[in-house]
């Protein structure tokens, strides 16, 4: 109607400072990033006092260093880290803070490139650490800490007559070990006592890439992987406004375990590149939201979601093509389709 909606303004500020060094054998750099924001959510029709404002800030730091080594089997080493401190307040119309959310995240990794005869690849370790806390009546989950540690090795082996044969088949092997722990903290009574969930699992993959004509190749792989349940899936107990449901976590959830296979055909010509792939992925203990009915909260009815697990299968295909039209124009198209279903029906 030509008038402004209450609570629809927003403002943000950001800044970044970085420094780097490049030498013959050493490169290194670090950066600081800061972001501050505030915005309003529109009021409900007929209720000008229903709007909510969000105000928050994020401060992040990251760094990377790389070293060229005088080693035949480990010629290159790289280390990376990052840290982030994020928080926001959900401010009610009367100025009271309805919910405060704080999230701190740290990551670290060390990776080395390897060369063992005709086998080339990488080895490394990675770490992920999160400290999460939400306070207030609308908090969806309890405060929780998460720690994840992983180690991996990946190798490619040429199967041609010589190590430099670009048209030979390539064998790819990967293996990884992870352990992941989520531990909730004692807080709001609705979340109950502090609990923890620890998952450790091995993952691996075997792949083969085979050129069969000039510019054409076919590759296939089989892989085993896992996913640990999140704090929301484990310990939620509250209104999830973004999903429009009342979520209840399941502390008994185990890790998702999957075994999948994929087949890819690639074509690379002078002005055309294309790729078509198909895959099937069988997931044991697939974690899914499950609406089991309705529940009454503060006089309002909400769909009741209880996270559950069941075996599932996902089957899909992807295709993409890119072609050059003239000297300064490239056209591309892509499409994908996936079907997921529980194997129990």
């Amino acid at each position: 109607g030509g008038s402004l909606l209450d609570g629809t303004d927003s403002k943000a500020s950001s800044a970044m400072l970085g420094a780097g060094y490049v030498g013959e054998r050493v490169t290194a750099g670090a950066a600081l990033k800061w972001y501050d924001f505030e915005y309003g959510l529109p009021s409900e029709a007929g209720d000008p006092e229903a709007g909510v404002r969000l105000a928050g800030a994020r401060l992040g730091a990251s760094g990377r260093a790389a070293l060229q080594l005088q080693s035949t089997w480990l010629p290159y080493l790289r280390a990376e880290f990052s840290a982030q401190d994020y928080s926001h307040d959900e401010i009610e119309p009367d100025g009271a803070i309805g919910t405060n959310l704080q999230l701190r995240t740290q990551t670290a990794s060390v990776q080395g490139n390897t060369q063992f005869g005709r086998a080339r690849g990488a080895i490394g370790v990675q770490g992920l650490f999160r400290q999460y806390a939400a306070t207030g009546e609308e908090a969806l989950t309890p405060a929780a800490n998460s720690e994840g540690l992983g180690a991996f090795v990946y190798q490619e082996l040429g199967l041609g007559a010589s190590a430099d044969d670009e048209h030979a088949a390539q064998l790819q092997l990967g293996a990884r070990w992870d352990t992941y722990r989520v531990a909730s903290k004692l807080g709001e009574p609705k979340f109950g006592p502090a609990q923890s969930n620890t998952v450790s699992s091995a993952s691996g993959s075997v792949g083969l890439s085979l050129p069969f004509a000039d510019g054409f190749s076919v590759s296939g792989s089989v892989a085993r992987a896992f996913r640990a349940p999140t704090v929301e899936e484990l310990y939620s107990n509250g209104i999830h406004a973004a999903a429009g449901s009342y979520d209840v976590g399941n502390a008994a959830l185990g890790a998702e375990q999957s075994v999948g296979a994929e087949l890819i055909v690639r074509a690379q010509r002078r002005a055309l590149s294309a790729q078509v792939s198909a895959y099937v992925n069988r997931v044991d203990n697939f974690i899914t939201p499950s609406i089991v009915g309705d529940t009454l909260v503060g006089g309002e009815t909400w769909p009741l979601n209880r996270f559950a697990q069941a075996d599932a299968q996902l089957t899909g295909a992807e295709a993409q093509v890119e072609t050059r039209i003239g000297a300064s124009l490239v056209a591309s198209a892509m499409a994908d389709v996936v079907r997921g279903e529980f194997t129990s029906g």
Side-chain angles (χ1 to χ4, degrees):
S3 61
L4 298 177
L5 292 176
D6 291 336
T8 58
D9 61 301
S10 65
K11 62 179 180 180
S13 303
S14 63
M16 184 184 75
L17 176 66
Y21 169 79
V22 178
E24 291 185 2
R25 294 181 55 199
V26 177
T27 61
L32 288 172
K33 296 181 180 181
W34 169 78
Y35 178 67
D36 183 274
F37 66 90
E38 181 177 347
Y39 64 90
L41 301 179
S43 303
E44 296 179 8
D47 187 1
E49 300 300 323
V52 175
R53 298 193 62 77
L54 275 80
R58 179 174 66 238
L59 178 64
S62 60
R64 176 187 297 179
L67 177 64
Q68 297 282 353
L69 301 175
Q70 296 177 337
S71 170
T72 303
W73 66 273
L74 188 67
Y76 181 78
L77 193 65
R78 183 179 68 186
E80 297 180 341
F81 82 91
S82 69
Q84 179 176 274
D85 188 343
Y86 170 87
S87 66
H88 78 234
D89 293 327
E90 298 177 10
I91 305 170
E92 302 295 337
D94 61 1
I97 297 176
T99 301
N100 169 264
L101 185 146
Q102 294 183 335
L103 175 63
R104 295 184 176 92
T105 306
Q106 306 86 40
T107 67
S109 66
V110 178
Q111 177 178 315
N113 289 5
T114 62
Q115 177 82 53
F116 297 101
R118 299 173 66 175
R120 296 176 295 179
I123 57 175
V125 293
Q126 297 174 323
L128 168 65
F129 310 93
R130 300 172 71 234
Q131 303 86 46
Y132 168 82
T135 57
E137 295 181 358
E138 298 179 7
L140 179 63
T141 66
N145 290 348
S146 305
E147 298 95 27
L149 294 172
F152 70 90
V153 57
Y154 175 79
Q155 295 293 307
E156 289 187 352
L157 177 63
L159 303 181
S162 67
D164 298 326
D165 189 353
E166 297 181 356
H167 301 288
Q170 293 281 335
L171 178 65
Q172 296 127 7
L173 302 171
R176 182 181 176 102
W177 173 260
D178 284 276
T179 182
Y180 189 77
R181 179 176 182 265
V182 179
S184 67
K185 298 180 179 180
L186 184 64
E188 296 287 338
K190 67 178 183 178
F191 297 123
Q195 303 179 73
S196 66
N197 180 286
T198 302
V199 174
S200 297
S201 181
S203 305
S205 65
V206 178
L208 182 66
S209 177
L210 180 64
F212 63 88
D214 186 26
F216 292 86
S217 67
V218 60
S219 61
S221 64
V222 178
R224 181 184 187 274
F226 91 107
R227 185 182 77 86
T230 66
V231 62
E232 291 83 6
E233 295 163 341
L234 290 167
Y235 306 128
S236 290
N237 190 6
I239 295 173
H240 189 173
S245 60
Y246 190 98
D247 290 2
V248 178
N250 183 352
L253 293 176
E256 296 179 344
Q257 303 280 357
S258 73
V259 176
E262 183 176 30
L263 182 67
I264 305 173
V265 178
R266 296 184 177 94
Q268 181 70 56
R269 307 297 291 176
R270 184 174 303 174
L272 175 73
S273 64
Q275 176 176 302
V276 179
S277 63
Y279 62 88
V280 58
N281 196 12
R282 178 67 179 263
V283 186
D284 293 337
N285 295 323
F286 185 83
I287 301 173
T288 179
S290 178
I291 302 299
V292 297
D294 292 328
T295 186
L296 196 64
V297 181
E300 290 187 67
T301 300
W302 293 82
L304 178 59
N305 167 40
R306 294 185 181 273
F307 288 96
Q309 289 184 292
D311 296 342
Q313 180 169 301
L314 293 94
T315 306
E318 301 174 350
Q320 60 187 53
V321 60
E322 182 177 286
T323 183
R324 180 173 295 279
I325 304 174
S328 59
L329 184 63
V330 174
S332 62
M334 61 187 301
D336 67 87
V337 60
V338 61
R339 174 177 174 82
E341 58 185 352
F342 292 114
T343 56
S344 61

